[in-house]
């Protein structure tokens, strides 16, 4: 275990330096002493400006050989204006109020001055010059103090400030002692003004260290100088390393990669030199999240947290919209009521995480997303008016392991694209062959839908099976069977071990679409060829269109509601089924017809019927599916 790594410059991470728990990085004692000396020197030099300002302001207060009380009050008024400008209007407008105050004071003195021997012109000119020097002194000293705060921390900065103040006080004493005109209280007043400027500069330095605003450039520059001589990890791959409890202030932490690097309880990350090369480590809220495991901030939208170590993190009610969490370690994380709209969770590990109440609209995940042991009672699938909507399941909670099973199955799915018209008979035989001759790939047909001129066949597969393997196996078997069927149908019987009578029955089912003649189709429709017409003759729809819409709804594992609205809208638009009763009847008859001609779909409905019903919204479509499944079971 590495302990003292101060002022080391790492070129690579080897076996001897791969555990940084409790490590003490940054600068060694010699560098720290050197930085305090440098800080003292630059603050002392900058204080000369404040010293000049204080001297000028004192001189403008002298009237007839003594310090004018009125003039002192006016000087303090202008100094107060400087402090007011900084704390209220911001550093960028530090000159506005003081100079405006000087103008108003000068104008009033010209109009109402009655003090004998008091030169208004000299006083106004001296006050203006002194105020300008005060403003310049405040800004200059503030920048030096900002550097000292980051380089030497508060303790070192106070040492530098105290030393420089003593030196400057000595200079004031020398200046007053050698002056030709000595006035009682001259020295004390000069010191008071000088210290006032320094205190104002100290307050200003806190504003300069803020990460936003006009002076936001000060902090990166100060951090750069403060990290010189400290430990360096620049350009290294720190993936999976453990920095728990390490002290890394004044460290060059601009590593190339932080994949699941543990930064829990790390001290001084805000004083380290970081960037956003790998993820947004330069954001204070991200630093807090990584080091504490939670954050006072709740809005992380569009933040890059790629590969972040967030094991056990408290992310309750956090806005994680469009957050890149690719490869992140979220094991045991509390994501209850979080917003995961369009977030990227590919390759992430969510084992034992709690997702109850999370909004997962359009989130992204893949086969490598780990959902083992995820705790989830329900999720939301839509996000409208800044609120999650569409609770799922709507009327119950997930059973233990149900959420994991639902989404893990989706990750083991492949979509195969067919450009030509599908040979339904060959495709049906293909998956029947996979069922009878299990080769360990676990291939199962989950649905078919048409997208434009293409047919999309959705296939699920077992663990450890690649997409390329699935595509090759399905395509080759499908093409072989289609070729064989074109030559000799009897060979299919021997290949699949199915009796000839069964083969003829399946052929009849596959050709059912072309054998329809003006026949009743449910209680409200007729079918002729491949066209469904309502009894009134006022509307019609191609059977293939209706079947495609129904199949899409059945196979949609995440959000069937949008497909349902599209199908119902199509039925109304074509005037074929405009009432709830006719829509229910048509959907039910199409599903029964599809199940009758497709054994794979029939088995899918029998095995997954209750699961399908649970995820469907209440309404006519759900009733139609329930009735169809009931009829299939009783057949």
């Amino acid at each position: 275990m590495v302990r003292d790594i101060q002022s080391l410059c790492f070129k690579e991470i080897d076996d001897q330096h791969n555990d940084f728990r409790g490590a003490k990085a940054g600068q060694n004692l010699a560098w720290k002493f050197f930085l305090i000396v440098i800080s003292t020197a630059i603050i002392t030099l900058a204080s000369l400006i404040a010293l000049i300002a204080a001297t000028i302001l004192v001189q403008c207060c002298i009237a007839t050989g003594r310090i004018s009380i009125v003039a002192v009050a006016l000087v303090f008024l202008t100094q107060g204006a400087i402090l007011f400008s900084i704390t209220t209007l911001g550093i960028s407008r530090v000159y506005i109020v003081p100079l405006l105050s000087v103008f108003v004071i000068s104008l009033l003195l010209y109009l109402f001055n009655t003090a004998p021997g008091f030169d208004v012109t000299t006083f106004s000119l001296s006050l203006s010059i002194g105020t300008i020097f005060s403003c310049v002194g405040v800004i200059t000293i503030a920048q030096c103090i900002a550097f000292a705060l980051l380089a030497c921390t508060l303790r070192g900065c106070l040492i530098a400030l105290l030393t420089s103040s003593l030196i400057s006080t000595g200079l004031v004493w020398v200046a007053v002692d050698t002056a030709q005109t000595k006035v009682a209280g001259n020295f004390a007043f000069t010191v008071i003004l000088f210290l006032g400027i320094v205190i104002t500069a100290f307050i200003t330095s806190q504003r300069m260290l803020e990460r936003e605003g006009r002076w936001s450039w000060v902090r990166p520059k100060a951090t750069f100088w403060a990290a010189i001589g400290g430990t360096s990890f620049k350009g290294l791959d720190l993936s999976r390393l453990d920095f728990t409890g390490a002290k890394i202030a004044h460290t060059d932490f601009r590593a190339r990669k932080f994949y699941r690097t543990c930064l829990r309880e790390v001290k001084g990350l805000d004083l380290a030199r970081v960037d956003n090369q790998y993820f947004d480590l330069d954001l204070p809220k991200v630093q807090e999240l990584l080091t504490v495991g939670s954050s006072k901030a709740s809005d992380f939208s569009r933040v890059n947290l790629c590969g972040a170590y967030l094991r056990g993190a408290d992310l309750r009610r956090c806005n994680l919209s469009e957050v890149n969490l690719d490869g992140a370690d979220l094991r045991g994380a509390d994501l209850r009521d979080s917003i995961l709209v369009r977030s990227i969770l590919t390759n992430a590990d969510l084992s034992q995480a709690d997702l109850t109440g999370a909004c997962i609209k359009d989130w992204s995940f893949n086969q490598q997303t780990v959902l083992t042991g995820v705790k989830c009672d329900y999720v939301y699938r839509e996000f409208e008016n800044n609120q999650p909507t569409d609770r799922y399941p709507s009327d119950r909670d997930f059973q233990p392991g149900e959420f994991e099973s639902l989404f893990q199955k989706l990750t083991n799915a492949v979509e195969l694209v067919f450009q030509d018209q599908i040979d339904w008979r060959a495709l049906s035989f293909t998956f029947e062959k996979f069922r009878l001759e299990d080769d360990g790939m676990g291939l199962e047909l989950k649905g078919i839908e048409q997208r434009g001129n293409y047919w999309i066949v959705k296939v699920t597969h077992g663990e450890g099976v690649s997409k390329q393997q699935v595509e090759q196996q399905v395509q080759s078997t499908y093409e072989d069977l289609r070729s064989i069927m074109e030559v000799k149908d009897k060979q299919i019987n021997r290949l699949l071990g199915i009796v000839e009578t069964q083969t003829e029955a399946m052929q009849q089912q596959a050709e059912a679409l072309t054998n329809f003649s003006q026949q009743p189709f449910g209680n409200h429709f007729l079918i002729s060829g491949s066209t469904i017409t309502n009894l009134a003759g006022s509307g019609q729809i191609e059977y293939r269109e209706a079947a495609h819409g129904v199949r899409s709804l059945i196979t949609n594992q995440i959000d069937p509601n949008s497909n349902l609205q599209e199908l119902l809208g199509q039925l109304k638009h074509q005037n074929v089924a405009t009432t709830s009763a006719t829509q229910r009847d048509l959907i039910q008859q199409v599903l029964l017809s599809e199940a009758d001609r497709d054994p794979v779909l029939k088995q899918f409905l029998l095995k997954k019927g209750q699961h399908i019903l649970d995820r469907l919204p209440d309404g006519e479509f759900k009733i139609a599916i329930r009735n169809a499944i009931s009829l299939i079971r009783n057949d």
Side-chain angles (χ1 to χ4, degrees):
M1 184 182 297
V2 180
R3 289 297 184 187
D4 191 349
I5 55 173
Q6 291 180 328
S7 297
L8 293 182
C9 182
F10 287 92
K11 299 298 182 183
E12 61 180 359
I13 302 298
D14 52 32
D15 294 337
Q16 295 181 349
H17 300 89
N18 58 7
D19 188 352
F20 295 96
R21 288 176 294 172
K24 190 175 182 180
Q27 298 146 336
N28 57 32
L29 188 60
W31 266 103
K32 291 177 181 178
F33 179 76
F34 174 73
L35 286 174
I36 291 177
V37 173
I38 293 296
S39 299
T40 303
I42 61 175
I43 292 176
T44 301
L45 290 174
S47 297
L48 293 178
I49 301 175
L51 184 60
I52 294 172
T55 303
I56 294 174
L57 291 173
V58 168
Q59 293 302 314
C60 77
C61 293
I62 298 175
T64 63
R66 61 185 178 85
I67 296 179
S68 170
I69 300 301
V70 175
V72 170
L74 295 177
V75 167
F76 276 119
L77 179 63
T78 57
Q79 297 305 299
I82 296 176
L83 183 60
F84 173 80
S85 296
I86 292 170
T87 56
T88 305
L89 302 179
I91 304 172
S92 59
R93 301 176 181 177
V94 65
Y95 298 96
I96 296 178
V97 176
L99 292 181
L100 183 61
S101 301
V102 171
F103 174 77
V104 173
I105 290 170
S106 300
L107 181 61
L108 292 175
L109 287 175
Y110 271 111
L111 295 176
F112 303 105
N113 176 49
T114 58
F118 189 83
D119 190 343
V120 175
T121 303
T122 303
F123 174 79
S124 300
L125 183 61
S126 299
L127 184 61
S128 301
I129 297 173
T131 301
I132 292 173
F133 269 94
S134 295
C135 293
V136 173
V138 165
I139 298 301
T140 306
I141 298 173
Q143 293 182 49
C144 297
I145 294 175
F147 165 77
L149 281 171
L150 290 181
C152 312
T153 67
L154 180 60
R155 182 171 54 184
C157 179
L158 290 177
I159 294 174
L161 266 177
L162 180 60
T163 306
S164 62
S165 297
L166 291 174
I167 295 174
S168 300
T169 302
L171 293 176
V172 172
W173 176 264
V174 173
V176 172
D177 187 60
T178 57
Q180 294 181 356
T181 304
K182 296 183 180 180
V183 179
N186 195 349
F187 172 74
F189 188 32
T190 304
V191 171
I192 290 172
L193 285 176
F194 169 76
L195 292 178
I197 295 172
V198 172
I199 292 172
T200 304
F202 185 82
I203 297 173
T204 306
S205 68
Q206 308 303 307
R207 293 295 186 92
M208 286 185 170
L209 291 178
E210 294 176 355
R211 299 173 187 267
E212 298 179 358
R214 182 173 179 178
W215 295 89
S216 58
W217 60 270
V218 173
R219 188 181 184 93
K221 295 294 184 183
T223 304
F224 164 73
W225 289 105
I228 294 178
T231 307
S232 176
F233 294 98
K234 183 181 179 181
L236 297 182
D237 184 352
L238 301 181
S239 297
R240 299 185 183 278
L241 296 183
D242 192 350
F243 283 86
T244 301
K247 298 178 180 179
I248 62 172
H250 311 133
T251 296
D252 192 338
F253 217 49
R254 294 174 298 162
R256 175 170 51 88
K257 195 172 184 181
F258 286 97
Y259 180 74
R260 299 190 179 180
T261 303
C262 181
L263 300 176
R264 288 293 167 83
E265 300 178 15
V266 164
K267 306 293 191 302
L269 183 57
D270 58 325
L271 298 177
R273 191 179 183 195
V274 297
D275 58 20
N276 57 1
Q277 177 182 354
Y278 184 72
F279 54 28
D280 292 337
L281 188 57
D282 56 335
L283 297 179
K285 59 184 177 183
V286 172
Q287 294 179 5
E288 182 183 16
L289 180 62
L290 294 174
T291 56
V292 181
S294 61
S295 176
K296 296 177 183 177
S298 60
D299 187 3
F300 289 87
S301 56
R302 298 183 179 86
V303 170
N304 181 11
L305 290 171
C306 172
Y309 182 93
L310 296 170
R311 186 183 301 186
D314 185 357
L315 293 166
R316 288 174 295 174
R317 294 178 290 278
C318 284
N319 182 4
L320 301 171
S321 301
E322 301 181 41
V323 171
N324 182 4
L325 287 162
D326 176 58
D329 187 346
L330 288 159
R331 285 177 284 181
D334 192 345
L335 290 158
R336 286 176 292 172
D337 301 318
S338 60
I339 307 299
L340 294 167
V341 177
R342 291 183 295 278
S343 59
I344 301 174
L345 285 156
T346 52
N347 308 304
D349 190 345
L350 289 103
S351 302
Q352 306 300 322
D354 195 339
L355 284 166
T356 298
C359 181
I360 60 172
K361 175 180 172 62
D362 297 331
W363 72 339
S364 301
F365 59 97
N366 61 2
Q367 186 174 345
Q368 284 69 45
T369 303
V370 181
L371 297 168
T372 305
V374 164
K375 304 170 188 175
C376 186
D377 294 336
Y378 59 90
V379 294
Y380 292 96
R381 299 181 295 185
E382 293 295 331
F383 192 74
E384 299 175 352
N385 299 322
N386 292 323
Q387 292 293 330
T389 58
D390 190 15
R391 185 187 190 273
Y392 178 72
S394 59
D395 54 355
R396 65 178 184 87
D397 289 346
F398 282 122
Q399 296 298 318
E402 184 180 355
F403 178 87
E404 173 189 347
S405 176
L406 172 64
F407 285 92
Q408 201 68 57
K409 285 183 178 180
L410 292 178
T411 62
N412 292 342
V414 173
E415 292 187 347
L416 306 179
V417 180
F418 289 79
Q419 295 185 4
D420 302 323
Q421 178 64 40
I422 293 179
D423 187 327
W424 301 104
R425 184 173 53 157
L427 189 64
S428 179
F429 276 125
T430 296
F431 284 93
E432 185 68 9
K433 179 178 186 298
F434 293 152
R435 186 182 68 83
L436 296 174
E437 301 176 3
D438 185 11
D439 55 0
M441 297 182 68
L443 300 182
E444 185 178 352
L445 180 64
K446 287 299 181 183
I448 302 172
E449 64 175 289
Q450 187 175 14
R451 298 177 187 170
N453 297 325
Y454 299 95
W455 287 92
I456 309 299
V457 177
K458 299 179 180 180
V459 182
T460 57
H461 56 82
E463 294 293 338
V465 180
S466 67
K467 178 181 178 181
Q468 291 74 17
Q469 288 177 295
V470 175
E471 291 178 342
Q472 182 179 358
Q473 184 76 350
V474 174
Q475 292 284 5
S476 61
T477 305
Y478 170 76
E479 292 297 335
D480 289 344
L481 287 174
R482 189 170 68 167
S483 300
I484 292 173
M485 281 199 279
E486 290 177 355
V487 178
K488 199 172 184 181
D489 287 345
K490 290 184 179 180
Q491 292 183 5
I492 301 174
N493 297 338
R494 292 195 297 272
L495 180 64
L496 298 177
I498 302 176
V499 297
E500 184 173 355
T501 55
Q502 291 175 317
T503 304
E504 292 174 354
M506 292 183 70
Q507 290 174 340
Q508 291 174 0
Q509 293 168 358
E511 296 169 355
L513 288 178
T514 57
N515 291 336
F516 278 125
S517 180
Q518 191 79 16
Q519 299 178 20
F521 195 70
N523 299 322
H524 302 87
F525 305 94
L526 297 172
I527 186 166
S528 178
S530 60
T531 303
I532 302 173
T533 308
N534 58 25
L535 294 179
S538 59
Q540 63 182 29
I541 188 173
E542 288 298 310
Y543 177 88
R544 195 171 309 251
E545 290 183 67
H548 164 65
V550 173
R551 278 179 173 269
S552 297
L553 287 165
I554 291 297
T555 57
N556 191 328
Q557 298 282 331
I558 304 232
D559 184 17
N561 190 53
S562 59
N563 297 78
L564 174 59
Q565 297 306 319
E566 182 179 348
L567 175 60
L568 297 180
Q570 184 180 11
L571 296 179
K572 290 182 179 179
H573 178 71
Q574 297 182 215
N575 205 32
V576 63
T578 57
T579 66
S580 298
T582 56
Q583 291 168 356
R584 180 174 68 245
D585 186 29
L586 179 58
I587 291 171
Q588 179 176 321
Q589 293 305 315
V590 170
L591 187 57
L592 288 171
S593 176
E594 286 291 285
D596 186 50
R597 73 183 186 85
D598 186 350
V600 176
L601 177 62
K602 183 177 181 179
Q603 290 300 316
F604 176 73
L605 290 171
L606 291 175
K607 292 181 180 179
K608 303 291 185 180
Q610 189 57 48
H611 177 69
I612 294 172
L613 292 173
D614 288 341
R615 62 183 172 77
L616 292 176
D618 294 332
E620 300 302 323
F621 180 69
K622 188 171 185 175
I623 297 173
I625 300 301
R626 182 185 292 112
N627 293 342
I629 293 174
S630 179
L631 290 172
I632 293 171
R633 283 202 177 101
N634 297 330
D635 186 8

